[in-house]
Amino acid sequence: MGEKIMVKGTEAIGEAAIRAGCRVYFGYPITPQSELTEYMSRRMEEVGGVFLQAESEVATVNMMYGASSVGARVMTSTSSPGFSLMQEGISYMANAQLPGVFVDVVRGGPGLGDIQPSQGDYFQIVKGGGHGDYRLPVYSPSSLQEAVELTIHAFDVADKYRTPVVIFADGMMGQMMEPVEFPDPIDPGSLPEKDWALTGAKGRNARYVTSFDIDPYKLEKMNKNLQEKYKKITEEEQKWEEFMTDDMEVLFVAHGTVGRIVKSTVKMARDKGIKAGLFRPISLFPFPYQRLSELADKVDIVMTVEMSAGQMLEDVKLAVLGKARTPFYGRLAGVIPTPGEILEALMKELGR
Amino acid sequence: MEKVSQEAMVIAKMPESLSKKEFTYCPGCHHGIVHRLIAELIDEFSLREKTVLVAPVGCSVFAYEFFNVDGTVAPHGRALAVATGMKRSRPDLFIMTYQGDGDLAAIGTAETIHAANRGERVTTVFINNAVYGMTGGQMAPTTLLGMKTTTSPYGRRPEKEGYPIHVMEIMKELPGVAYAERVKVSRPQDVPKAKMAIKKAFYAQLLDIGFGIVEVLSTCPTNWGMDPVEAGRWLEENMVKEFPLGVYVDKVTEVMKEKGVK
Amino acid sequence: MEHKLIAAGFGGQGVMLLGQLVATAGMIDGKHVTWLPSYGPEMRGGTANCTVVVSDEPVASPVVDTPNEIVIFNIPSLLKFEPTLDKDGILVMNTSMIDREPSRKDIKVIKVPANDVADKLGVLKAQNMVMLGAYIEATKAVSFESVIKALEKKMTGKKAKFLDVNKKAIEEGMKIAREQLG
Ligand SMILES: Cc1ncc(C[n+]2csc(CCOP(=O)(O)OP(=O)(O)O)c2C)c(N)n1
Ligand code: SF4
Ligand SMILES: [Mg+2]
């Protein structure tokens, strides 16, 4: 670890990828993450890596497919409309079992929407916006330090399970500055060899990487393998944070930057004598249902807060299973909820 | 002249096909000049009530607001697919797209080439300013060799970032294209020429000949990091060299003659 | 103690830089800090603002609805942010740009003719540094030494020659605030 430096979110994530040994980046400019693409255009040159601005996000994701299939640690970053265009390729990568890290700096939608922070793409990112039975590990950081750690972690998870992984950020995370400590860089040469990669069939049988089998029984087997993998990920890769949940009477659930905003609400509520707590899922797939369910036993109200119309809310309800009331507070289209207005929403719910 | 009548004159000169909304483009940006030319032509052809404008995603994303005609915004790069859908469903309408270089020649390349090749009866005005204006000056497909942008910080190198793409030269190879010309508007004397080019591209659609497209070499002082005068000069000295002006396809003039259109 | 600052003015008045310097100085002081800009198309020529939190504890929300300190560079920003200021909060305003009185009586007001002061120093652009000086004196959010260190980190290369005048501007701002605080 080095010294603390002030960085912008986009740069923190870009530098983290470099430290994780990523040496191949493809991308297409889109607000509010173009600074990450720009950072990589400078930085990859400095570390002898590859930077290429693709002609579109459709091309980008397929460049990722290509780079990953020959063994590279590869990353892209985009924002909502661009992530939509990547869905076909992501679905292919999922079934071809190709690792790759996607940073989606979500903005207000639907359609062209706006360029302000949003979490309205939860369904798309977490439930799979492409076709077929696949899941993607998804991480939602709430601070820049956490973004750095999760970006590095994302590369490891991607390689370990041979799957695309998503960092679910938003415009606030991309633009804000905070002190960050970067870990020492990993030497890309020290990463384990990928014994499935297409490296030329020298002295071995030819390999192939594909998302296809015309024989339904064989394709079903491929699918079952995927499902096995997702089961394992579900068992081993859940991450969350709990804040002031020990003595709580009401529980908030929020992820990413909103999770952070709600922390202030929790403190404000406690100043008013309301013992609030926060559950912040960090992995959205796998969603930490079990732990949330346990916490729900202790309270009557589990209030979800999102910058969406209520998408993660469905997972919260699946965890709570009717054991507590599950009200929702959300802002849409890139409007950021403030700690005060969230508190007001809670007070209303409490009838005070 | 009295002040009042002077004002009246200015208002009279404002094309009916422009809305009252003030342009939000940066000083010295050519988007505004080209908007005005298009609006004047729509007026002259009395097409205002038949026109549908497809705006792109780019600095001209608000174009539909500046024009007093029906309009929409297509997803980034897809304007010519959207326009195709419109024209095929309502051939009586006059359909225009207005697109930047990133929109038309990067993410939208497939839509552009295929609409042109099908000879869609639509008209496209293509603003080539050699950068992605709206997103803050990243490399465009038309960025010149050696040119520094926010994503080509070391200057565009052919071996890494490839070459600037020449859209008019590609159009020349596509039989569906009825009119293709590259113009500029940086000097006053360029403007009538540019207007005539766009007029021919209108006729390509109006006389049912084929696809019409006009590329306008344009400035982006903001992202080029220049003042408007410098930017104009830079365009004259560099862009014109890389992107030769002139008529690339013209199947329109002959038909105009045949039909006695002036 | 948590300093929740909103700095606001026209784009180009150096509002964002002021905020970044406060945040970086806070970091150097060993505090927890966040800096959050308001960004978007309104940035071009429009108003700009940023929110800075400097805290002894890890910063929860980087978004603030009731700041306890505001640094205001123009009238639209005064109208927008004065009502949001906490009771007993501190308003630092640039009176070279704002020719009206704040309406609240339950806040502390520091009036800084920042443009005039910077003009006298020969670098009008340093008006934001005058405001920064007044701010740190009035709030003690971060130390002068750390602000200078933060400034040194920012002003490298061609900008290094402005270090001295900026430092001077900060000191002038501090003096003005000190006089008004009595
Ligand atoms: C799918 C998708 N990818 C990226 C973007 C971001 N984006 C908006 S405009 C633009 C490029 C604009 O450049 P250009 O077409 O040259 O128009 P200009 O602004 O220069 O006039 C990009 C990449 C988007 N809106 N949608
Ligand atoms: S950024 Fe460039 S293209 Fe966009 S309005 Fe300004 S000058 Fe014109
Ligand atoms: Mg352009």
Side-chain angles (χ1 to χ4, degrees):
Chain A
M1 292 263 180
E3 61 166 337
K4 277 198 170 162
I5 48 171
M6 282 290 276
V7 285
K8 262 198 171 180
T10 41
E11 287 177 10
I13 293 171
E15 185 57 30
I18 302 276
R19 304 276 169 133
C22 168
R23 288 294 180 275
V24 183
Y25 175 97
F26 304 109
Y28 187 78
I30 183 164
T31 315
Q33 71 75 44
S34 294
E35 285 155 314
L36 179 39
T37 311
E38 292 168 2
Y39 184 80
M40 291 311 232
S41 75
R42 292 192 301 274
R43 220 28 205 124
M44 277 300 183
E45 187 88 9
E46 288 168 7
V47 296
V50 175
F51 167 86
L52 184 60
Q53 180 178 316
E55 68 273 28
S56 70
E57 292 86 351
V58 176
T60 303
V61 68
N62 291 294
M63 289 174 184
M64 304 252 312
Y65 183 110
S68 181
S69 65
V70 297
R73 271 206 154 171
V74 60
M75 176 168 111
T76 189
S77 57
T78 186
S79 176
S80 307
F83 196 64
S84 288
L85 284 179
M86 293 180 180
Q87 293 309 316
E88 180 196 36
I90 290 174
S91 167
Y92 276 60
M93 285 177 76
N95 201 17
Q97 304 209 68
L98 289 173
V101 173
F102 293 76
V103 179
D104 188 357
V105 183
V106 178
R107 65 188 223 183
L112 189 54
D114 62 21
I115 54 177
Q116 308 300 327
S118 166
Q119 299 178 325
D121 300 353
Y122 184 94
F123 286 154
Q124 180 189 44
I125 299 171
V126 178
K127 305 294 175 181
H131 56 285
D133 263 317
Y134 74 90
R135 305 303 304 260
L136 304 173
V138 179
Y139 296 103
S140 174
S142 81
S143 72
L144 299 196
Q145 188 64 49
E146 192 176 51
V148 166
E149 282 151 21
L150 288 175
T151 301
I152 295 167
H153 183 62
F155 281 101
D156 293 336
V157 169
D159 281 351
K160 179 172 170 196
Y161 297 97
R162 292 185 55 190
T163 176
V165 176
V166 186
I167 300 290
F168 183 156
D170 63 47
M172 207 186 328
M173 173 117 306
Q175 297 300 316
M176 69 184 272
M177 285 180 98
E178 214 174 356
V180 159
E181 236 175 295
F182 289 106
D184 292 335
I186 295 167
D187 171 12
S190 72
L191 293 167
E193 207 185 308
K194 294 172 176 171
D195 61 6
W196 47 263
L198 308 179
T199 54
K202 190 178 172 209
R204 58 161 169 81
N205 290 337
R207 293 170 181 160
Y208 57 89
V209 164
T210 155
S211 70
F212 163 81
D213 203 312
I214 202 74
D215 176 344
Y217 296 100
K218 286 193 185 150
L219 185 62
E220 188 182 41
K221 192 154 172 283
M222 273 167 90
N223 264 276
K224 282 189 170 156
N225 284 342
L226 286 184
Q227 295 307 318
E228 269 309 304
K229 172 160 91 180
Y230 300 144
K231 209 174 132 211
K232 196 155 171 239
I233 291 172
T234 303
E235 282 160 7
E236 292 177 11
E237 302 296 338
Q238 295 182 27
K239 275 181 183 286
W240 68 87
E241 185 198 352
E242 290 174 31
F243 180 68
M244 300 195 155
T245 48
D246 288 345
D247 62 343
M248 64 174 176
E249 296 159 356
V250 290
L251 178 62
F252 282 111
V253 186
H255 75 91
T257 49
V258 179
R260 190 165 178 166
I261 292 170
V262 172
K263 270 190 193 168
S264 288
T265 310
V266 167
K267 289 186 194 166
M268 288 162 82
R270 283 179 177 259
D271 285 344
K272 284 191 184 278
I274 302 162
K275 287 186 184 155
L278 166 70
F279 183 73
R280 180 172 69 83
I282 297 171
S283 59
L284 299 178
F285 175 79
F287 191 87
Y289 292 109
Q290 181 61 35
R291 183 58 192 151
L292 179 54
S293 173
E294 288 162 18
L295 291 175
D297 287 333
K298 302 205 236 169
V299 294
D300 296 328
I301 293 183
V302 179
M303 182 162 188
T304 306
V305 186
E306 293 177 70
M307 290 192 284
S308 84
Q311 299 191 20
M312 182 178 69
L313 175 64
E314 294 195 358
D315 281 324
V316 171
K317 285 181 172 169
L318 277 176
V320 174
L321 284 174
K323 292 186 289 186
R325 273 200 293 142
T326 48
F328 174 74
Y329 183 76
R331 292 303 300 258
L332 302 175
V335 181
I336 304 172
T338 63
E341 68 182 70
I342 298 167
L343 180 64
E344 229 170 84
L346 175 67
M347 301 301 274
K348 225 192 242 161
E349 204 50 51
L350 294 170
R352 297 196 202 167
Chain B
M1 218 190 292
E2 270 176 50
K3 191 157 179 284
V4 178
S5 60
Q6 233 175 12
E7 267 172 15
M9 256 186 64
V10 174
I11 291 167
K13 264 177 145 177
M14 165 109 167
E16 204 195 326
S17 298
L18 281 184
S19 69
K20 299 278 172 305
K21 198 165 186 242
E22 215 177 294
F23 292 148
T24 44
Y25 299 111
C26 311
C29 175
H30 287 174
H31 272 303
I33 302 177
V34 180
H35 279 19
R36 208 183 160 91
L37 290 185
I38 293 169
E40 283 173 8
L41 283 167
I42 295 174
D43 282 7
E44 287 164 26
F45 280 98
S46 299
L47 283 169
R48 202 190 71 78
E49 292 171 359
K50 281 176 65 179
T51 299
V52 180
L53 175 75
V54 184
V57 183
C59 274
S60 46
V61 67
F62 296 113
Y64 69 96
E65 285 191 353
F66 299 138
F67 286 89
N68 182 20
V69 301
D70 282 0
T72 187
V73 180
H76 187 30
R78 317 298 173 205
L80 275 165
V82 170
T84 297
M86 290 173 168
K87 190 69 182 183
R88 293 290 175 128
S89 312
R90 284 287 306 271
D92 56 314
L93 293 176
F94 182 74
I95 309 293
M96 285 206 61
T97 75
Y98 184 102
Q99 299 176 256
D101 39 83
D103 196 80
L104 181 138
I107 193 168
T109 313
E111 283 77 0
T112 304
I113 289 190
H114 288 283
N117 193 50
R118 289 191 305 264
E120 291 299 335
R121 271 38 170 188
V122 302
T123 303
T124 294
V125 174
F126 165 38
I127 302 294
N128 176 2
N129 58 12
V131 285
Y132 286 9
M134 173 173 236
T135 42
Q138 294 83 10
M139 192 184 77
T142 49
T143 293
L144 305 190
L145 290 180
M147 189 172 165
K148 284 188 183 168
T149 69
T150 55
T151 52
S152 59
Y154 305 99
R156 185 176 195 164
R157 301 154 296 186
E159 69 281 9
K160 295 226 165 148
E161 287 88 17
Y163 297 86
I165 205 162
H166 293 81
V167 174
M168 290 303 108
E169 287 78 348
I170 295 171
M171 289 294 145
K172 216 165 118 181
E173 303 301 319
L174 304 174
V177 178
Y179 196 80
E181 183 174 352
R182 186 182 284 126
V183 299
K184 61 183 169 78
V185 292
S186 38
R187 295 173 183 171
Q189 61 268 36
D190 300 330
V191 176
K193 263 184 136 171
K195 187 168 173 182
M196 182 49 85
I198 301 173
K199 190 171 184 169
K200 293 262 175 81
F202 271 44
Y203 271 125
Q205 176 173 181
L206 293 169
L207 299 177
D208 198 20
I209 312 167
F211 179 64
I213 181 167
V214 174
E215 171 174 341
V216 186
L217 300 183
S218 304
T219 51
C220 177
T222 302
N223 287 304
W224 292 359
M226 299 176 192
D227 65 38
V229 177
E230 261 181 288
R233 196 178 317 130
W234 193 87
L235 185 151
E236 294 288 341
E237 283 167 10
N238 299 282
M239 298 261 305
V240 176
K241 216 178 285 162
E242 178 67 36
F243 300 108
L245 302 176
V247 178
Y248 285 78
V249 179
D250 182 3
K251 296 173 189 158
V252 171
T253 310
E254 206 182 293
V255 179
M256 283 170 70
K257 263 190 214 142
E258 270 169 32
K259 300 202 173 175
V261 183
K262 276 190 205 120
Chain C
M1 179 65 196
E2 194 161 79
H3 297 270
K4 295 182 286 179
L5 160 70
I6 291 180
F10 290 124
Q13 281 182 309
V15 175
M16 298 299 188
L17 179 62
L18 181 147
Q20 285 181 7
L21 289 173
V22 172
T24 308
M27 176 187 79
I28 297 169
D29 282 340
K31 299 280 174 66
H32 296 275
V33 297
T34 56
W35 174 87
L36 181 70
S38 92
Y39 65 101
E42 77 266 23
M43 286 267 294
R44 252 181 225 151
T47 58
N49 73 72
C50 61
T51 306
V52 179
V53 182
V54 178
S55 178
D56 295 329
E57 288 169 44
V59 180
S61 175
V63 179
V64 160
D65 33 9
T66 52
N68 47 22
E69 297 155 2
I70 55 178
V71 177
I72 300 295
F73 286 74
N74 65 5
I75 293 173
S77 301
L78 182 70
L79 296 177
K80 186 165 173 194
F81 292 107
E82 193 196 338
T84 68
L85 187 60
D86 259 352
K87 191 170 168 299
D88 301 322
I90 297 174
L91 160 66
V92 183
M93 59 190 272
N94 183 348
T95 50
S96 312
M97 295 296 292
I98 305 171
D99 59 357
R100 65 171 74 184
E101 292 295 315
S103 48
R104 301 254 308 255
K105 299 282 172 260
D106 59 347
I107 57 174
K108 202 187 289 175
V109 180
I110 310 286
K111 295 179 178 172
V112 189
N115 292 30
D116 306 338
V117 174
D119 211 12
K120 262 183 222 142
L121 293 173
V123 182
L124 179 60
K125 274 194 88 170
Q127 44 82 30
N128 61 337
M129 296 296 130
V130 181
M131 296 290 282
L132 174 60
Y135 167 77
I136 62 170
E137 182 64 31
T139 62
K140 304 285 183 208
V142 295
S143 69
F144 173 71
E145 293 71 35
S146 297
V147 168
I148 298 304
K149 276 190 203 147
L151 200 59
E152 280 164 0
K153 280 190 197 197
K154 274 266 167 205
M155 307 237 148
T156 51
K158 267 194 230 156
K159 292 184 203 149
K161 61 173 186 274
F162 293 112
L163 249 174
D164 279 342
V165 68
N166 278 321
K167 193 173 160 189
K168 191 92 200 40
I170 292 169
E171 284 167 345
E172 287 296 320
M174 292 172 76
K175 205 156 81 194
I176 291 168
R178 212 173 301 129
E179 280 160 13
Q180 289 181 36
L181 290 163

